Amino acid sequence: MKSEHRHELKTNELAEWLTHLPQWAKDNRITIIGVLLVVVVAGAVYIWKIHNKNVTAQNQIELTNYMARLMGGKPQVISAQSQGKDLSYILLQPANSLKSFAQTVKDNRMAAFAFIKRAEALRTELHYRLGPVNQQDFTTQINLAKDSYNEAIKKAASLPSLLAEAKFGLGLCEEELGNFEAAQQIYQDVAANQDFEGTVAKVSAKWRLETMADYKTKVVFQRSAKPKFPDAAQPQIEVKPVDINSLPIGLRKKLLDQNRTRDVPVTNLEPNLQ
C-alpha cells in the first residue's frame, strides 16, 4: 500500500510540474536560451577542434610525403649522373606540389616551410643539371625561387626561425644572380636582427658575410701546359781494358792458357807473373 501511495504522489507531482512547465519556461526563457546557446557553442567548438586536429594531421602527412619525395629524388639524380644521365627534372615535381600545398594550407607554419623548401628545390635543380644552363633559364628559375621565399616571409611574419631562413634564402638568390651588394645587405639584416638570435640562418648569414668575397669571382681552371720531360739520358759506359797484372796469379795463368789455345795474341797483356 505504501509503495502504491508513493507512486501515486510522484505521478501527481509530475503532472503538476508539467502543468506549470509552460509558465515556468515563459518566466525563465532568457535563462533557458542562454544555457542552450552555451551548450550549442561548446558542442560546435568541440567539433571544430576535432575537425582541425584531423585536418592538421592530414596536412602534416601530406607535407611529409612531399618532403620524402624531394629528399629521395636527390640520390637518384646523383646516381644517374654517374651514368651520364640527367634526372634533375624530377626535383621539380615535388617542388610544384609544395607550391600548391603552401597556397591552400591554413597553417602558416606549414605554408612558410613548404614555400622555403620549394625555393630550395628550384635552386638545387639548377645546380644538379648535368649540362650547362643558359643564363635566361637560370635567371628565370632563381626569380621563381625568390618569389617563393617572399611568400614564405609573408606567412612567417610571427615565426622568427622560418622568417630568418626565408630571408637568408633571398640572400643566396641575389648572390647566385651576381647581385652581391643586395646579398650582403640581406645577410647584414639577418645577422643584426635580435629576433633571429639562436637560429641557424643568423649563423649562416654571419659566415656568408665573412666568406662571400671568395665567391664574387668565378673560378676558372686553366688547362695546364703539357709537362716537358728531358730526353732520357743514355748511360755512358766507359769500357777500360783489364789490367791483367791486377788479377790473381791463378786467374792470369788460366787466361793466358785460353788465349794461347785460341791463337789470340797476348802481346798487349804484358802479364807480370812474378
Side-chain angles (χ1 to χ4, degrees), residues 245-265:
N245 294 316
S246 63
L247 299 177
I249 295 176
L251 183 57
R252 281 186 282 172
K253 289 182 178 180
K254 185 177 180 179
L255 181 59
L256 287 172
D257 292 339
Q258 289 177 350
N259 288 334
R260 291 191 185 98
T261 304
R262 298 174 185 175
D263 296 328
V264 177

Side-chain angles (χ1 to χ4, degrees), residues 128-143:
Y128 275 21
R129 288 191 191 181
L130 192 59
V133 183
N134 67 63
Q135 189 60 42
Q136 183 177 355
D137 288 348
F138 185 86
T139 302
T140 299
Q141 193 151 314
I142 291 298
N143 283 330

